[in-house]
Amino acid sequence: MVAQTRTANTTQKKLSFNEKLVGKNLGTDALLKKLKALHTELSELDQEIVDVNSLSSVRTQLIHTSLLLHKERGVKAYVACCLSDILRLYAPDAPYTVTELRDIFQFFFRQLSAGLKSTESTYYNEYFHLLESLSVVKSVVLVCDLPNAEELMIEVFRDFFALVRRDLAKKIELFISDILIALIDECQSLPSEVLEVIMAQFMDKNARMDQPAYRLAVQICNTTADKLQRHVCQYFTDIIITNSRDLQSESDFEEIRTAHELVKQLARSCPSLLHSVIPQLEEELRVEEVQVRIIATQTLGEMFGDKGGADLIRKYPSTWSVWLMRKGDKAAPVRLKLVESAKGLVLNLPEHRETIEDILRLKLLDPDDKVRAAVCKVYSQLDYETALHHVSTSQLRTVAGRGMDKKHTVRVEALNAIGKLYALAYPEIENGDPSAIEHFSWIPGQVFHIANVTLESKPAAEQVIADHILPLPSLSNVASTSTSKNNEVDEAAWTDRLLNVMQYLDDTAINAMLSMSGVKINRPTAYEHFLQACIQNNGGVIDENEEVVKQKLGNIIRHLSKHFPDPHKATEDLQAFAKANENRLYKLLKTCVDLQSDLKSIVKASNEFLRRVEQSHESILSTMSIFLRRCTLRILNQSSISPLLKRLQKSSSSSIASTMTKHAHQLLTYVSKHCPALYKAHVGELTKAIADEKNTMVVELGMQALAAVVRTDESLASFDKRTLDRVTKYALGDNARVVKFASRLLASLKGCNEQCMDVIESVAQRLPDAEPKVLVAHTALLVQMARFRSEAFEHRSDDIMAFLVKKLLLAPSLNDDEDMDVDNDWVHDDDVPPILRARIQALKVCRNRCLAHASSPNAIDIATPALKMFATLIQHSGSFKVDAPDSPSVKSRMRLQAAISLLHLSTVEAYATVINPHFIWLAITVQDPCYHVRMIFLTKLISLLSPRKLPPRFNTIPFLTVLDPEDDIRNRAMAYVSFANRTLPPAARVEYLEVIFIRLLHLLAHHPDFSIDHENLQDMAKYVEFYLDQITSSENISLLYHLAMKAKTVRDAESHTYSEHLYALSELAQELIKARAQARSWALQSFPGKVKLPSDIFRSLPNPEAAVKILKTVYLPQETIEWLAEAAKPHKTAATAVAKEKRREAREARDRRSPPGAKRKASRPRANGTAKRAKPSARWNSDQSETAESSLDSEDHSEREFPPSERHTSPKTSKSGLSEDEGQDSDKEAISVREDTSKARRGGRKARMRAKAKISQQIKRGTVRSKRS
């Protein structure tokens, strides 16, 4: 008990109160009056000068039962106060027995619990005095010396914690705290129930510092931490041990989990209590029981990630180390809990950033997808400042890389994380904050790249782009009937966001973004067809053509569902949407797909559509959200046109403004090319734009847009005379770009024949004397007129064509020394000299003239000279003569334009037939030595192949890119083939991708680099493997094998040499197909159908005997046969990997020697590929007669056995010729020959094995004899 020491003093003061407090006939009022007087006098007495003997009378009376059990509250209140004063004055010795003290303290606590409720309570001051006395004098510690001290302490703690919840004055809370702290400090042993009462305050889910009971518990624990540490540890240990004996189900772990929740709460408010608990948690990290490790990992993770985590790590470094080691725990749930706590670590442990980042980067590659997804989710929960200052850019890029994860959930979380961070950072990026730009501006580009890579990643990327990167503006009120100004959207800000995003995109990302915008899709789109089919289906109630309507709807749904993440669910959901047949939803969809809908209409319709679907058809919401996102022009629509035009008209000289102007121009140009209908509402604005002659960029773009929109809708082709004169003036100007679009606009306007005749006449007269710059502009006009106004062009075509061919194209070009540099094989668009530009335009004039006359009777007569000219340019590497002195850059440009012209002309069936003899040369343009020629040619080829404008044989060309030294060319070719293989209808897939296999073999047989030697055939195998990698499946492998075999049943249409090439490739392809089928356990069955081989490249064999002879002949070198056999063995993967690694190292060494940014050249195909080929053994010529064959048989005794492709049982095939019905007899003979040859080969193999064993024995004997000697 804490009290002042009594000192000797001669002037001790005595208590003057001498009245009786106990007795009969003593009324309550009188008693209260006496007790009040006594309390007043006692409270004024000083402990040091009081004569305690004078207190003996009242001391005894105050503990009388009649007072302690009095029915009047006031009496008991004053008695309690007087007793507390007596204890204060007698301190440090109590004037009562143990039993009396027990009764007194129980009396105290009853009075406080019952009476101390609020300041408004009766006798509040007396209760306050009692509590204050117990707190200050510390007389309460006498409880610890009582026999039943533990029971009394438990009662005190329970009563006081209940009391403090009454939200009393702050002083009362402090008094209670002092009393309870004193009890804990003085007690010999702390009752477990007392600790439970204290701990219970931390278990409340809503526990926080503004709650008095929680605040009191925190104060007690922090003050008595030294004494409570051991008890808390024991308390925690008892719970763990008690509940760890029989752990069978999840519910058995609840108590353990609750105990760990308590530890987390204590760590937040009373960390000093856990000195002995933390090491115990460390041990839990090592136990075998997975659930215990999970709970411990989660608990420590949250503790380390709290605000006091840094101090915890400094105090318990070994625990921190052991916890970090859980990153490699064998149980994925443990690793998951470690990762989930990482958010707090990133926020509150900046000094450990590198350690945390390393762990999270490692866990991004965790084998468990839940762990990888959890890492990504951590970053989606960060705020902008934390991400900017505590997360490195490299770490964010690593997270973004998980956007291509094989698991959908990981892709979604990764892309969502970086998307959210970009949305948070966008205001700062827009304001030009360098840190924000460096840290986050790359994110949109990465997302667009991911969307462009795989079909699996695209939906998640689209969602992130729509939600975070390029979101639609929101409306405060989305009711479609509202016309309030508050509902207006800021179209300029929305468009500026697009331009800001584009500032930091590379060309690939911009192309992906433009592709995703939906502007380029052919219209009506598949989504519009679906909507129309739903309307016709009418929910299944169809009046006429029921089968046709249902079939159409089913076909469209199958086509659309292939592009959804889950095609099966998409099919069901789209069918459910059609069955629902809600006209309001149809109307909203029509608004969304309508090209003339403005931004506000799209936002309102989209919001209402999704809201209605969610309310009535929630199960299909995810599918319809993707559908709506893809069918709507969310990125670029007709509301973008005006802000983009204004951006061009107000172009600034600053670098950012000029970049945004360039992108605005790019977007408008893209709209002009692919969706000019968006300009319909802006024709007046465009007409005004072309009047600004000082702004050439705006004039050029306005002309292009007007020309495009007029060709889309002829009703818009009405201009006043002033505008028409302005267009005519531009057409005769010297700016080639403006001239191009002005002349196209003029040629597209109705009733302008006279103006077109005039400009052509004027240009024809000016051509001979035109300066180079003007000549470029004039040829640009002629390109457009030859295509769109052929009748006006033909009026002066003789003079014009004579000049273009004789004076421009065939005229020798002057070269300087720099142009003659062999490494300078390309000149970029901005640097093309005017004369070269004019020559390229002249080639386009020839091409467009052919296209304009494609349907005329004399089309071939008109086109023949041009086609010969184009073929000559390709064959002579860009010149009209083999030894022309043109510079490499000029040749590259010329042969590229010639090749592209032939591609365009091949879309016309009549021209395609004429071009076919030159197809080989056209195809190998994709292997041109110049990178730019290859890339531009391939891009143009794909743009014509995608809509199936070219004949099927052109689909063989992308497969020639397999040996290209640049990845982007190979990747582009693979992307097209993969897309076509995935999206083409089954019948078209067979025609355009599978049956062409025989044409690919023919193309390779005619390749200028082909020769029948092992090294060359290894390269040819790469072409075939590339094709098989992209196209082969278990369904079509029999067809491809059948086609490969059929190649040996015909002869080449040109020569016997090419036939031998074809036969060698046939054997090579058969072996590769069989190896692939074996590796994948595919059944290689006989193809049941009939395939007619193309008659333009193959001829029938003269007779069945010829077919048998060819089948018996092996055209592959022995070295190649052995190489194929070795490659088919299981260890081929390692060998291939080693070879690839060597090639990669060699390629990197080459790259280091190359100048930065330089593109590698492809090797030029040799003009005569057979020069490299070793002299072949005498073989039977398929063009010879039967007599010649028999004479050759007698001379050729070294003929090889059957090719490897025939060693095993092969599918039955039809015989030689162009039809399956020809040469049936030769099939039977061929089969018998195979059987005989197979037996002979087996016998020969056994003989060789015996000989080899005998030789080995002789060698061993010789070695033994030599050792003995």
Side-chain angles (χ1 to χ4, degrees):
M1 180 168 112
V2 179
Q4 296 176 349
T5 304
R6 192 180 305 278
T7 59
N9 195 324
T10 56
T11 58
Q12 288 184 338
K13 189 173 182 180
K14 295 183 179 181
L15 178 69
S16 60
F17 183 86
N18 56 5
E19 297 187 33
K20 293 289 185 182
L21 298 175
V22 179
K24 296 180 180 179
N25 303 322
L26 187 61
T28 301
D29 292 340
L31 182 59
L32 275 173
K33 187 175 180 181
K34 291 179 180 180
L35 288 171
K36 188 174 182 180
L38 176 60
H39 168 54
T40 302
E41 187 176 354
L42 287 173
S43 63
E44 292 175 354
L45 289 175
D46 191 340
Q47 179 188 9
E48 295 184 358
I49 61 174
V50 68
D51 182 2
V52 293
N53 294 323
S54 64
L55 305 177
S56 58
S57 176
V58 295
R59 168 178 64 88
T60 305
Q61 295 182 69
L62 285 172
I63 61 171
H64 195 277
T65 307
S66 62
L67 294 180
L68 295 178
L69 299 178
H70 201 283
K71 62 179 181 180
E72 173 60 35
R73 289 179 55 201
V75 172
K76 290 186 285 188
Y78 278 111
V79 169
C81 289
C82 292
L83 283 172
S84 67
D85 286 333
I86 292 294
L87 291 175
R88 174 177 62 83
L89 294 172
Y90 271 94
D93 302 315
Y96 297 108
T97 65
V98 171
T99 304
E100 291 170 341
L101 282 173
R102 184 197 64 192
D103 294 340
I104 289 171
F105 281 110
Q106 286 178 339
F107 174 70
F108 283 167
F109 300 140
R110 282 199 302 271
Q111 298 312 303
L112 290 172
S113 298
L116 196 60
K117 294 181 179 178
S118 69
T119 55
E120 305 299 325
S121 302
T122 311
Y123 306 111
Y124 174 80
N125 291 332
E126 283 67 36
Y127 295 131
F128 183 88
H129 176 82
L130 171 61
L131 194 64
E132 182 181 24
S133 178
L134 292 174
S135 169
V136 174
V137 180
K138 301 293 188 297
S139 57
V140 73
V141 300
L142 293 171
V143 170
C144 300
D145 298 328
L146 301 178
N148 60 340
E150 290 191 1
E151 296 177 8
L152 199 53
M153 279 186 67
I154 294 169
E155 185 180 348
V156 171
F157 273 82
R158 284 175 179 167
D159 290 346
F160 274 15
F161 271 104
L163 181 64
V164 81
R165 293 179 186 276
R166 297 174 183 174
D167 200 15
L168 302 172
K170 185 71 174 176
K171 261 193 171 182
I172 292 179
E173 184 181 325
L174 293 175
F175 292 157
I176 292 175
S177 174
D178 289 341
I179 291 169
L180 299 183
I181 289 170
L183 285 173
I184 292 175
D185 285 339
E186 294 296 324
C187 71
Q188 297 298 321
S189 62
L190 186 71
S192 59
E193 289 87 349
V194 169
L195 189 63
E196 287 176 2
V197 171
I198 299 173
M199 295 296 104
Q201 314 310 314
F202 295 95
M203 299 306 295
D204 189 349
K205 293 181 180 179
N206 300 318
R208 54 185 185 273
M209 288 304 290
D210 60 349
Q211 293 179 338
Y214 177 74
R215 196 162 55 236
L216 175 61
V218 171
Q219 178 67 24
I220 293 171
C221 290
N222 283 328
T223 308
T224 62
D226 291 342
K227 188 160 188 177
L228 288 182
Q229 280 178 5
R230 178 174 57 83
H231 297 284
V232 170
C233 180
Q234 186 62 44
Y235 174 80
F236 182 74
T237 304
D238 291 344
I239 294 177
I240 300 298
I241 293 174
T242 303
N243 293 278
S244 298
R245 290 169 183 159
D246 187 21
L247 297 173
Q248 299 294 334
S249 64
E250 184 66 25
S251 59
D252 296 331
F253 291 94
E254 282 305 314
E255 288 297 326
I256 297 177
R257 196 171 282 109
T258 302
H260 285 78
E261 287 293 328
L262 171 61
V263 172
K264 288 190 289 186
Q265 285 285 359
L266 292 174
R268 294 188 187 101
S269 50
C270 314
S272 54
L273 277 183
L274 303 177
H275 180 72
S276 301
V277 175
I278 301 297
Q280 199 166 341
L281 291 176
E282 180 181 331
E283 289 304 315
E284 287 184 352
L285 294 174
R286 299 186 175 98
V287 300
E288 279 297 316
E289 179 58 52
V290 175
Q291 280 295 333
V292 174
R293 292 206 310 277
I294 291 173
I295 296 170
T297 302
Q298 179 182 4
T299 301
L300 282 170
E302 294 181 17
M303 290 164 62
F304 287 136
D306 214 339
K307 291 182 179 179
D311 293 332
L312 201 63
I313 292 173
R314 280 192 291 271
K315 291 179 182 177
Y316 308 99
S318 66
T319 305
W320 168 248
S321 300
V322 174
W323 184 82
L324 290 177
M325 290 171 63
R326 290 307 94 208
K327 68 179 182 289
D329 197 286
K330 62 184 179 181
V334 177
R335 304 196 300 272
L336 180 62
K337 289 301 179 184
L338 180 139
V339 166
E340 287 176 346
S341 61
K343 177 190 174 184
L345 304 180
V346 175
L347 286 171
N348 299 313
L349 299 177
E351 63 270 27
H352 295 278
R353 185 180 108 175
E354 291 185 6
T355 302
I356 297 164
E357 278 202 355
D358 289 344
I359 290 176
L360 293 179
R361 188 180 296 111
L362 178 66
K363 291 298 98 185
L364 281 170
L365 303 175
D366 193 275
D368 191 274
D369 58 290
K370 293 185 180 66
V371 177
R372 301 197 301 274
V375 178
C376 299
K377 191 171 183 178
V378 166
Y379 290 97
S380 71
Q381 298 168 343
L382 300 180
D383 60 88
Y384 168 72
E385 291 295 333
T386 302
L388 178 65
H389 298 295
H390 301 304
V391 182
S392 65
T393 308
S394 62
Q395 185 77 345
L396 291 179
R397 288 186 180 273
T398 307
V399 174
R402 289 295 92 204
M404 292 185 288
D405 196 279
K406 61 182 179 180
K407 293 291 185 178
H408 175 70
T409 53
V410 183
R411 296 195 295 267
V412 169
E413 290 294 348
L415 292 171
N416 193 47
I418 60 174
K420 282 184 177 179
L421 292 175
Y422 180 80
L424 294 173
Y426 176 74
E428 303 302 324
I429 295 174
E430 186 180 27
N431 293 333
D433 183 349
S435 299
I437 291 172
E438 179 185 0
H439 220 66
F440 303 105
S441 63
W442 55 270
I443 289 176
Q446 185 71 12
V447 176
F448 282 117
H449 278 289
I450 291 171
N452 202 35
V453 171
T454 63
L455 181 65
E456 292 77 14
S457 301
K458 191 172 183 180
E462 288 176 339
Q463 184 70 49
V464 168
I465 291 165
D467 291 345
H468 303 299
I469 295 176
L470 294 172
L472 287 175
S474 59
L475 296 174
S476 56
N477 300 308
V478 295
S480 57
T481 57
S482 174
T483 57
S484 169
K485 278 288 181 182
N486 293 333
N487 272 348
E488 294 300 324
V489 297
D490 191 342
E491 296 176 349
W494 176 70
T495 306
D496 282 346
R497 178 158 185 152
L498 173 61
L499 295 175
N500 277 318
V501 168
M502 290 182 69
Q503 279 190 78
Y504 308 101
L505 300 182
D506 58 19
D507 291 341
T508 304
I510 288 177
N511 290 335
M513 184 271 293
L514 292 174
S515 175
M516 197 178 293
S517 68
V519 172
K520 193 177 179 179
I521 300 176
N522 293 329
R523 287 182 163 75
T525 65
Y527 307 104
E528 292 173 89
H529 283 302
F530 171 74
L531 179 57
Q532 189 59 38
C534 288
I535 295 172
Q536 293 174 355
N537 186 64
N538 194 29
V541 182
I542 306 168
D543 295 333
E544 55 184 20
N545 298 326
E546 181 175 354
E547 289 300 322
V548 174
V549 171
K550 287 186 176 180
Q551 184 179 2
K552 179 182 177 183
L553 178 62
N555 291 338
I556 295 172
I557 288 176
R558 279 192 295 274
H559 172 73
L560 287 174
S561 62
K562 287 190 293 186
H563 304 283
F564 281 74
D566 185 347
H568 179 70
K569 184 180 186 303
T571 300
E572 293 180 347
D573 291 349
L574 293 174
Q575 287 171 344
F577 178 81
K579 187 177 181 180
N581 195 36
E582 294 189 23
N583 290 328
R584 180 59 183 168
L585 293 180
Y586 293 161
K587 184 177 180 181
L588 293 170
L589 266 187
K590 280 184 178 179
T591 302
C592 292
V593 302
D594 187 4
L595 292 177
Q596 303 311 313
S597 295
D598 61 6
L599 180 60
K600 182 178 176 181
S601 301
I602 289 174
V603 172
K604 287 184 175 180
S606 298
N607 290 341
E608 184 179 350
F609 178 85
L610 293 175
R611 189 173 67 252
R612 285 178 175 270
V613 170
E614 185 177 12
Q615 291 171 353
S616 56
H617 313 285
E618 188 175 1
S619 62
I620 69 172
L621 179 62
S622 59
T623 298
M624 296 315 297
S625 297
I626 297 175
F627 181 96
L628 180 68
R629 189 169 62 242
R630 291 179 176 177
C631 75
T632 307
L633 295 182
R634 301 173 56 94
I635 297 176
L636 187 64
N637 56 44
Q638 71 106 345
S639 293
S640 310
I641 304 301
S642 292
L644 291 174
L645 279 173
K646 288 176 183 175
R647 171 70 65 177
L648 287 181
Q649 291 166 342
K650 297 177 182 178
S651 58
S652 170
S653 59
S654 70
S655 59
I656 294 179
S658 62
T659 303
M660 295 180 74
T661 301
K662 182 188 79 171
H663 289 131
H665 183 275
Q666 184 178 7
L667 291 172
L668 291 172
T669 302
Y670 191 78
V671 172
S672 300
K673 286 183 177 180
H674 303 294
C675 193
L678 293 178
Y679 287 124
K680 283 187 178 181
H682 305 278
V683 171
E685 202 172 347
L686 292 170
T687 305
K688 291 180 182 178
I690 64 174
D692 185 7
E693 298 184 8
K694 294 181 180 179
N695 195 332
T696 307
M697 181 187 293
V698 174
V699 171
E700 174 200 324
L701 196 136
M703 285 292 183
Q704 183 180 11
L706 285 172
V709 75
V710 165
R711 291 185 62 78
T712 302
D713 188 351
E714 294 182 354
S715 64
L716 301 173
S718 57
F719 297 104
D720 56 24
K721 185 177 183 304
R722 186 176 179 182
T723 302
L724 200 58
D725 291 343
R726 184 178 291 117
V727 173
T728 305
K729 176 185 174 184
Y730 285 138
L732 291 172
D734 59 0
N735 186 312
R737 293 283 297 173
V738 175
V739 168
K740 173 183 177 179
F741 298 119
S743 56
R744 182 183 295 176
L745 174 59
L746 194 63
S748 303
L749 293 173
K750 282 188 175 181
C752 291
N753 290 329
E754 185 177 346
Q755 286 90 339
C756 291
M757 295 281 285
D758 290 343
V759 296
I760 290 175
E761 183 69 32
S762 176
V763 167
Q765 293 175 3
R766 298 180 187 180
L767 278 176
D769 304 321
E771 294 292 326
K773 182 180 178 181
V774 178
L775 184 60
V776 174
H778 288 345
T779 51
L781 178 140
L782 295 175
V783 171
Q784 302 302 314
M785 290 297 174
R787 183 71 181 92
F788 302 114
R789 285 283 180 169
S790 59
E791 66 281 359
F793 180 83
E794 291 302 324
H795 180 67
R796 292 296 303 271
S797 62
D798 292 342
D799 297 334
I800 292 172
M801 295 306 297
F803 173 81
L804 294 179
V805 174
K806 295 179 181 178
K807 302 296 184 182
L808 187 57
L809 290 173
L810 295 178
S813 60
L814 301 176
N815 307 308
D816 53 33
D817 293 340
E818 183 180 351
D819 289 335
M820 292 302 291
D821 183 359
V822 293
D823 291 329
N824 187 19
D825 61 354
W826 184 255
V827 55
H828 290 282
D829 293 345
D830 296 338
D831 302 324
V832 175
I835 290 297
L836 176 56
R837 197 181 296 273
R839 295 178 71 188
I840 294 171
Q841 299 277 24
L843 293 177
K844 291 182 180 180
V845 172
C846 299
R847 178 195 72 195
N848 282 357
R849 185 169 179 244
C850 296
L851 291 173
H853 291 275
S855 57
S856 65
N858 59 342
I860 299 298
D861 295 336
I862 293 174
T864 298
L867 295 175
K868 288 182 178 179
M869 178 174 62
F870 295 144
T872 302
L873 284 171
I874 293 176
Q875 293 172 13
H876 293 166
S877 302
S879 300
F880 289 100
K881 297 179 181 179
V882 177
D883 55 350
D886 296 338
S887 70
S889 59
V890 171
K891 289 183 177 182
S892 296
R893 282 283 183 175
M894 293 295 285
R895 66 176 177 269
L896 171 62
Q897 187 55 53
I900 290 177
S901 298
L902 286 177
L903 287 179
H904 281 287
L905 294 173
S906 295
T907 61
V908 179
E909 185 177 358
Y911 298 153
T913 305
V914 180
I915 294 170
N916 196 34
H918 309 291
F919 177 75
I920 305 297
W921 285 104
L922 178 60
I924 61 176
T925 303
V926 82
Q927 296 181 328
D928 194 276
C930 177
Y931 164 80
H932 299 280
V933 173
R934 303 196 304 274
M935 176 56 82
I936 296 172
F937 175 78
L938 179 63
T939 303
K940 177 58 67 175
L941 173 70
I942 291 173
S943 70
L944 294 173
L945 284 175
S946 296
R948 287 186 269 170
K949 292 182 179 180
L950 289 169
R953 65 174 172 269
F954 282 83
N955 276 292
T956 59
I957 299 177
F959 298 106
L960 298 182
T961 61
V962 65
L963 298 180
D964 198 284
E966 297 296 335
D967 291 340
D968 51 353
I969 292 179
R970 294 195 305 274
N971 292 339
R972 180 163 296 191
M974 282 192 293
Y976 160 71
V977 174
S978 175
F979 176 79
N981 193 34
R982 191 174 62 248
T983 58
L984 282 176
R989 190 185 307 117
V990 172
E991 180 184 2
Y992 281 83
L993 293 177
E994 296 175 4
V995 176
I996 64 162
F997 184 48
I998 191 73
R999 284 191 177 274
L1000 176 62
L1001 297 179
H1002 175 268
L1003 174 59
L1004 295 176
H1006 283 255
H1007 196 285
D1009 285 349
F1010 186 90
S1011 64
I1012 303 182
D1013 61 63
H1014 177 61
E1015 181 182 353
N1016 183 272
L1017 287 171
Q1018 283 182 309
D1019 286 341
M1020 293 297 129
K1022 292 175 184 176
Y1023 291 113
V1024 178
E1025 286 279 17
F1026 183 50
Y1027 173 88
L1028 297 176
D1029 287 341
Q1030 305 301 316
I1031 304 299
T1032 311
S1033 67
S1034 59
E1035 288 79 18
N1036 65 15
I1037 193 167
S1038 294
L1039 170 61
L1040 300 181
Y1041 187 79
H1042 180 68
L1043 291 170
M1045 292 182 65
K1046 290 285 288 181
K1048 289 193 73 173
T1049 65
V1050 292
R1051 58 193 173 103
D1052 191 89
E1054 291 189 29
S1055 73
H1056 172 65
T1057 300
Y1058 290 129
S1059 294
E1060 289 190 346
H1061 294 178
L1062 180 66
Y1063 302 152
L1065 285 167
S1066 170
E1067 296 172 4
L1068 181 67
Q1070 290 178 62
E1071 285 301 307
L1072 293 173
I1073 292 172
K1074 286 198 297 185
R1076 184 172 295 263
Q1078 183 177 357
R1080 289 164 173 75
S1081 301
W1082 290 344
L1084 196 57
Q1085 301 173 349
S1086 299
F1087 182 68
K1090 293 185 178 182
V1091 179
K1092 187 174 182 178
L1093 301 186
S1095 59
D1096 58 324
I1097 56 176
F1098 297 128
R1099 297 288 182 269
S1100 300
L1101 292 174
N1103 49 54
E1105 291 76 13
V1108 173
K1109 187 63 179 178
I1110 292 171
L1111 286 173
K1112 289 171 60 178
T1113 306
V1114 179
Y1115 292 87
L1116 287 177
Q1118 185 63 32
E1119 186 179 0
T1120 304
I1121 295 172
E1122 293 171 357
W1123 172 73
L1124 287 169
E1126 185 69 20
K1129 291 181 181 179
H1131 67 268
K1132 67 177 182 179
T1133 304
T1136 305
V1138 172
K1140 285 184 177 179
E1141 181 65 20
K1142 289 181 178 179
R1143 288 197 297 272
R1144 184 186 65 78
E1145 292 173 357
R1147 187 164 60 247
E1148 289 177 352
R1150 279 201 311 273
D1151 291 346
R1152 287 192 291 270
R1153 293 193 297 269
S1154 303
K1159 291 294 182 181
R1160 285 167 284 177
K1161 295 184 179 182
S1163 59
R1164 183 69 183 171
R1166 294 185 298 280
N1168 182 10
T1170 57
K1172 185 180 177 182
R1173 181 166 57 92
K1175 185 176 180 180
S1177 304
R1179 293 196 182 93
W1180 182 78
N1181 188 333
S1182 58
D1183 295 327
Q1184 291 174 329
S1185 64
E1186 185 175 355
T1187 307
E1189 177 198 352
S1190 59
S1191 63
L1192 184 60
D1193 271 346
S1194 61
E1195 298 174 7
D1196 187 11
H1197 301 291
S1198 60
E1199 191 67 73
R1200 295 194 184 102
E1201 294 182 346
F1202 238 127
S1205 58
E1206 307 298 340
R1207 291 178 187 167
H1208 306 289
T1209 304
S1210 303
K1212 296 179 181 179
T1213 59
S1214 299
K1215 282 303 101 200
S1216 62
L1218 307 186
S1219 171
E1220 292 281 354
D1221 300 325
E1222 300 179 17
Q1224 298 294 327
D1225 294 336
S1226 60
D1227 251 352
K1228 298 176 182 178
E1229 297 176 18
I1231 292 171
S1232 64
V1233 169
R1234 290 194 194 104
E1235 292 174 352
D1236 295 341
T1237 309
S1238 179
K1239 291 177 182 177
R1241 181 172 291 279
R1242 286 196 296 269
R1245 188 181 298 114
K1246 292 178 181 178
R1248 286 195 298 272
M1249 293 296 291
R1250 287 195 299 270
K1252 186 175 181 181
K1254 190 172 183 179
I1255 292 170
S1256 299
Q1257 290 176 0
Q1258 292 174 352
I1259 292 173
K1260 289 179 182 177
R1261 290 172 186 168
T1263 305
V1264 172
R1265 282 196 296 269
S1266 62
K1267 286 182 179 179
R1268 289 175 180 172
S1269 61

